[in-house]
């Protein structure tokens, strides 16, 4: 089966490509580096020709509100019609738990991406994941003022990229759900506590302050904004195990 992974060189993309290739599938790792650009349209038609499955794991180079919205809208408008022409049987995209529950600009852009997929007529599955553990350092940076990181005590349930990629590969080989599947890490705890554990483990001296008023990338968040509300598929790698694996690799 031919499977195209858009963003196949990224964090989740490269891991997903490796898993699917190990399973014996013909996998195209598509990205601007390999001449496939969903913003300019370059190479898109050629990449998806003859594909049964397309997995969209691309990400915007800029997280600025307007730029990210433009990225996911333009990308969807170039990619989805090309897939329809190629009679692709399953489109999978990776979105975020809570896209419809905060006023965060990045989440709004992911919601726009989801809407384009649902309206495309292509059989699809949208996977909404919680924050990747690999993103914890970036979250601390975005919430830091010199040596103080301010984060709200809302519930948080990050997932390791290895778990995300395994689930994405699995979903891609199953029948389209025509809807959303939510995935999360195995542990749920207050946001500030998880980031404090991460910083301590990596030897980062910054101090995390519990601040109920603190925002997440500029967006307002509440107790349940970032965690699945209903049934979710859980990864197996907890934070301690992920830290141990990352430290062994380093
Ligand atoms: N971070 C989180 O916590 C989180 C949580 C849930 C969901 N997600 C979603 O997960 C997805 C994957 O994220 P990631 O962290 O794995 O991304 P990443 O590591 O930043 O990789 C981005 C990928 O997108 C490709 N790309 C960039 N511009 C492109 C374009 N114009 N056309 C085609 N491909 C393009 C890049 O290709 P090059 O290598 O050629 O530049 C790269 O392969 C994203 O859609 C993100 O919204 C993220």
């Amino acid at each position: 089966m031919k499977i195209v992974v858009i963003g196949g060189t990224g964090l989740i993309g490269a891991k997903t490509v490796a898993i699917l290739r190990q399973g014996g599938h013909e996998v195209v790792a598509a990205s601007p580096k390999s001449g496939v650009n969903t913003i300019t349209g370059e190479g898109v038609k050629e990449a998806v020709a003859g594909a049964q499955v397309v997995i969209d794991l691309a990400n915007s180079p800029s997280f600025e509100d307007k730029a990210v919205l433009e990225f996911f809208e333009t990308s969807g408008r170039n990619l989805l019609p090309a897939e329809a022409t190629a009679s692709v049987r399953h489109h999978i995209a990776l979105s975020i738990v809570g896209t419809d529950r905060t006023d965060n600009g990045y989440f709004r852009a992911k919601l726009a991406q989801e809407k384009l997929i649902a309206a495309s007529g292509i059989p699809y599955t949208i996977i909404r994941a919680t924050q990747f553990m690999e993103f914890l350092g970036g979250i601390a940076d975005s919430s830091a003022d010199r040596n103080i990181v301010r984060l709200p005590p809302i519930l948080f349930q990050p997932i390791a990229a290895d778990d995300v990629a395994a689930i994405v590969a699995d979903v891609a080989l199953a029948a389209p759900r025509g809807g959303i599947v939510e995935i999360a890490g195995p542990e749920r705890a207050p946001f500030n506590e998880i980031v404090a554990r991460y910083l301590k483990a990596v030897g980062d001296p910054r101090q995390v302050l519990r601040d109920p008023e603190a925002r997440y990338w500029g967006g307002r968040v509440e107790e349940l904004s970032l965690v699945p509300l209903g049934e979710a598929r859980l990864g197996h790698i907890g934070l301690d195990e992920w830290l141990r694996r990352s430290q062994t690799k380093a």
Side-chain angles (χ1 to χ4, degrees):
M1 175 155 73
K2 178 177 170 185
I3 303 174
V4 176
V5 181
I6 303 287
T9 52
L11 172 67
I12 306 299
K15 290 177 188 290
T16 306
V17 166
I19 295 168
L20 291 168
R21 282 192 181 144
Q22 264 164 26
H25 299 284
E26 178 196 347
V27 187
V28 177
S31 83
K33 280 184 197 138
S34 66
V36 183
N37 190 321
T38 55
I39 297 303
T40 62
E42 181 202 355
V44 171
K45 201 172 87 192
E46 295 79 2
V48 301
Q52 280 84 35
V53 174
V54 175
I55 309 176
D56 185 2
L57 301 174
N59 205 357
S60 170
S62 163
F63 286 10
E64 187 272 318
D65 285 6
K66 193 163 164 275
V68 79
L69 181 62
E70 232 168 75
F71 179 89
F72 284 111
E73 286 190 336
T74 308
S75 184
R77 289 198 179 113
N78 284 327
L79 181 60
L80 295 163
E83 288 183 38
T85 304
S87 304
V88 165
R89 288 194 242 135
H90 192 181
H91 176 95
I92 298 97
L94 190 54
S95 190
I96 310 178
V97 166
T99 43
D100 46 356
R101 282 186 267 134
T102 94
D103 59 357
N104 173 306
Y106 188 89
F107 281 39
R108 214 170 21 238
K110 295 298 287 183
L111 193 60
Q113 178 190 24
E114 291 184 6
K115 285 184 178 159
L116 287 173
I117 295 166
S120 71
I122 302 162
Y124 71 94
T125 307
I126 291 167
I127 302 171
R128 283 187 181 166
T130 53
Q131 287 61 44
F132 308 153
M133 290 182 191
E134 286 73 2
F135 197 42
L136 290 173
I139 290 173
D141 295 346
S142 82
S143 311
D145 183 4
R146 280 166 294 190
N147 263 349
I148 301 292
V149 176
R150 285 177 195 279
L151 284 169
I154 61 165
L155 291 174
F156 196 58
Q157 198 171 348
I159 182 167
D162 282 330
D163 274 335
V164 176
I167 297 173
V168 168
D170 196 44
V171 166
L173 298 176
R177 298 281 282 263
I180 294 163
V181 175
E182 296 206 317
I183 70 172
E187 280 173 68
R188 186 180 279 203
F191 200 175
N192 55 309
E193 287 178 18
I194 290 192
V195 175
R197 265 168 73 194
Y198 164 80
L199 291 180
K200 189 169 174 223
V202 300
D204 186 321
R206 287 178 294 180
Q207 197 198 337
V208 179
L209 267 195
R210 177 186 183 281
D211 178 355
E213 299 305 317
R215 291 179 168 230
Y216 177 59
W217 294 98
R220 274 188 300 272
V221 278
E222 295 166 358
E223 177 82 357
L224 297 173
S225 295
L226 300 179
V227 291
L229 297 181
E231 195 191 322
R233 193 163 158 179
L234 301 185
H236 302 291
I237 307 167
L239 183 62
D240 291 339
E241 169 63 11
W242 177 81
L243 284 163
R244 198 186 56 71
R245 290 186 190 192
S246 326
Q247 278 154 2
T248 315
K249 263 188 239 156

